[in-house]
Amino acid sequence: MDLQKLVLNYKDDVVKTIQEAVQIKSVQEAPLPGMPFGEGPAKALEYFLELGKKLGFEVENFDNYAGHIDFGTGEETVGILGHVDVVPEGDGWTFPPYSGTIADGKIFGRGVLDDKGPSIVCLYAMKALKDSGIKLNRKVRMILGANEETGWGCMKHYFGELKMPQPTFAFTPDSGFPVTFAEKGILHLSLTKAYDKNLDFEIVGGTAFNSVPDLTTAILPLSMKNKVEENLVEFNKEKPYKIEMTEENGKIKLSSFGKASHGARPSEGYNSISALFQFLSSITLEDNELKNIVDFFKKYIKMDYTGKELGINFSDEPSGNLTLNVGKVEIKENNLMVGFDIRYPVTFNQEDVIEKVRPKAEEFGISVGIKSSQKPLYVPKDSFLVKTLMDVYGNVTGDRDSQPIAIGGGTYARAVTNGVAFGALLNSQEDNMHQRNEYLEIDKLDTWLKIYIEAIYQLAK
């Protein structure tokens, strides 16, 4: 039976389902009774599980932290890990971010790439395989989490507290093709400082540690207006993104614009936080507290995303260079918080990073705390899992030249003992995860469907 031909019969259902799924705004919010990550993620999880039930699978919801969808039987299990939550949408979308609008052959919406779209494709690949009647020797289990973007409480609950069994082999469609065999360690650091009085300025920017911020604002005393005006025109020259000044309520407001990108790939964005502090460093500042944090950025951050200024520009052969993203800043009233997203190479550990960063922050009276962390992932290229998935990718696409890749992103592959990220982005697709106007080209679904049905079959047969 030609499984790759069979699965294309489900393409129209896939498109419709992706549209419906992205219409659920599943950004984490304050917990509610029975909804640990808020209403949106719980609704999205229930949508996927109900879909799985309609498609003829056994499903189970684990306290709205996570759920799974089962197909087949066997002592061993093939796991497919996806997530139903999304990062905040941000501003400036051409189409409403939760509309699932189709235009120019694309589906637009937050989550079409990360990770609702790929998860739905895998679910319909399971459906096609089920309908084919082909006997499999391993159970196939799709495991869905509701808190991947903001802490992984879902997987900690599922595999940790509930002690659900680990799959024999697993992949997550939450990266790029061909196969991601290594993922850098992820360290989110909160740099904080408390002041003994309310500040005379306010700086706020970014929506998540793991996104390059495209807007940062500063509210400053009107007395700084002349200094700002004198420097702003010169600063903006030849800059790809600008800083604008306005007057509001007896204060001046600086709006620093940038380009959003995933925090694992800060070189693809333009950091509005770093740019704002770079501009402020060009001004003679009289406010000691403002000068203190500006001087910290001037000395140790600049516009650098390699960690060189902080002395953490580590590198290794399997996974490449460390990356640094300043994802959030909130300086208001009497508190300061700056959020770092650091992706370090697989042969290093988080202590290597912290012991370099902490003394430099303390030099400016700033404390360093760990908001969250994930150890690196490394699965050898010659393992059964990597070799099998590489063969599937090559057979379907004809691409025999691409090699397994290492990334800075963090996927659910880390949540299992034998897992990798496998797709879903093809080399010909633009990676606009975590950016405005996130979109999925409908014609790419053909290749996705063929790859995933073949991958599930080869691992489960």
Side-chain angles (χ1 to χ4, degrees):
M1 181 176 292
D2 189 341
L3 291 175
Q4 294 180 35
K5 182 177 179 181
L6 172 66
V7 75
L8 296 183
N9 293 328
Y10 299 85
K11 181 178 176 180
D12 289 345
D13 291 332
V14 168
V15 172
K16 179 177 180 292
T17 305
I18 292 174
Q19 286 182 281
E20 292 177 352
V22 301
Q23 288 168 9
I24 302 170
K25 182 178 180 179
S26 51
V27 176
Q28 180 176 347
E29 297 174 334
L32 295 170
M35 300 178 180
F37 312 118
E39 184 176 16
K43 282 186 174 181
L45 181 61
E46 187 60 29
Y47 175 85
F48 271 79
L49 296 178
E50 283 298 315
L51 175 63
K53 189 182 299 184
K54 291 176 184 176
L55 296 179
F57 300 118
E58 297 293 324
V59 308
E60 191 168 357
N61 187 331
F62 298 92
D63 311 309
N64 278 323
Y65 281 86
H68 65 218
I69 300 171
D70 282 352
F71 160 44
T73 59
E75 294 183 4
E76 296 185 326
T77 302
V78 175
I80 304 168
L81 292 93
H83 66 88
V84 302
D85 61 315
V86 296
V87 296
E89 65 276 13
D91 300 320
W93 285 66
T94 302
F95 303 103
Y98 301 106
S99 64
T101 297
I102 293 179
D104 300 322
K106 305 170 183 175
I107 311 172
F108 288 85
R110 177 59 85 224
V112 293
L113 294 179
D114 185 16
D115 183 41
K116 293 176 180 178
S119 297
I120 286 169
V121 169
C122 289
L123 185 56
Y124 274 95
M126 289 170 59
K127 168 66 172 172
L129 198 52
K130 176 178 179 292
D131 291 349
S132 75
I134 293 177
K135 177 176 170 51
L136 302 176
N137 292 313
R138 295 186 176 106
K139 175 189 286 188
V140 179
R141 168 170 286 176
M142 175 173 282
I143 303 168
L144 296 164
N147 177 230
E148 193 267 356
E149 297 289 4
T150 49
W152 288 37
C154 47
M155 293 296 105
K156 294 171 186 174
H157 185 76
Y158 184 84
F159 287 116
E161 294 179 32
L162 300 181
K163 301 189 184 310
M164 297 300 295
Q166 286 278 345
T168 311
F169 308 104
F171 69 82
T172 177
D174 197 17
S175 180
F177 287 116
V179 177
T180 300
F181 77 103
E183 298 180 9
K184 296 174 186 175
I186 301 178
L187 182 60
H188 285 179
L189 297 181
S190 291
L191 281 65
T192 59
K193 185 175 183 178
Y195 303 95
D196 56 10
K197 63 178 182 178
N198 282 353
L199 300 169
D200 196 30
F201 63 93
E202 178 178 305
I203 300 175
V204 176
T207 59
F209 280 47
N210 62 350
S211 291
V212 176
D214 60 2
L215 176 63
T216 303
T217 60
I219 307 299
L220 304 172
L222 191 61
S223 59
M224 294 182 62
K225 180 180 178 181
N226 289 340
K227 292 180 180 178
V228 169
E229 286 181 329
E230 290 172 3
N231 289 269
L232 193 55
V233 173
E234 184 64 28
F235 179 85
N236 279 333
K237 283 182 179 179
E238 299 181 2
K239 295 289 194 305
Y241 300 90
K242 311 300 182 184
I243 297 177
E244 298 177 359
M245 186 189 78
T246 55
E247 287 188 39
E248 294 183 7
N249 303 317
K251 301 270 190 177
I252 60 170
K253 177 181 179 181
L254 295 182
S255 298
S256 174
F257 297 96
K259 178 186 177 184
S261 176
H262 195 294
R265 297 176 291 278
S267 62
E268 297 176 8
Y270 184 88
N271 197 301
S272 63
I273 294 175
S274 299
L276 177 67
F277 279 106
Q278 187 182 44
F279 169 67
L280 291 174
S281 71
S282 70
I283 299 173
T284 302
L285 301 171
E286 298 177 0
D287 186 305
N288 288 332
E289 302 298 357
L290 178 58
K291 185 177 187 301
N292 182 72
I293 184 62
V294 169
D295 285 348
F296 170 74
F297 269 79
K298 181 179 181 180
K299 185 172 183 180
Y300 291 124
I301 307 298
K302 298 183 173 67
M303 293 295 291
D304 177 51
Y305 49 79
T306 68
K308 178 181 178 182
E309 305 298 331
L310 284 165
I312 56 172
N313 53 325
F314 306 135
S315 182
D316 66 16
E317 188 280 325
S319 57
N321 301 325
L322 177 145
T323 61
L324 166 68
N325 177 53
V326 185
K328 290 189 74 172
V329 63
E330 187 170 296
I331 309 173
K332 58 196 304 187
E333 297 177 349
N334 63 343
N335 287 290
L336 171 150
M337 193 289 295
V338 178
F340 284 177
D341 179 317
I342 297 170
R343 313 288 171 121
Y344 59 90
V346 297
T347 59
F348 291 80
N349 59 57
Q350 66 181 38
E351 286 74 24
D352 297 325
V353 176
I354 294 171
E355 69 180 13
K356 293 280 190 180
V357 174
R358 179 168 282 130
K360 296 177 175 64
E362 290 176 347
E363 179 184 333
F364 290 84
I366 298 170
S367 300
V368 176
I370 300 174
K371 183 175 183 290
S372 65
S373 64
Q374 295 177 20
K375 293 181 179 179
L377 167 80
Y378 177 62
V379 179
K381 294 180 183 180
D382 61 356
S383 66
F384 168 79
L385 179 60
V386 173
K387 288 172 66 177
T388 298
L389 295 178
M390 284 296 297
D391 285 343
V392 167
Y393 170 78
N395 290 339
V396 173
T397 65
D399 176 7
R400 305 289 181 181
D401 297 325
S402 294
Q403 297 297 313
I405 58 176
I407 64 169
T411 74
Y412 274 158
R414 301 169 193 255
V416 293
T417 54
N418 188 20
V420 295
F422 183 52
L425 278 180
L426 298 160
N427 292 335
S428 58
Q429 288 181 267
E430 179 186 2
D431 180 2
N432 51 31
M433 298 182 190
H434 291 208
Q435 299 180 44
R436 64 169 63 96
N437 294 327
E438 182 179 347
Y439 71 85
L440 165 61
E441 296 154 295
I442 294 174
D443 63 3
K444 297 299 189 291
L445 289 173
D446 297 57
T447 304
W448 283 16
L449 285 163
K450 291 177 182 178
I451 289 174
Y452 284 121
I453 194 169
E454 194 65 33
I456 297 168
Y457 171 66
Q458 292 296 333
L459 292 175
K461 68 180 183 179

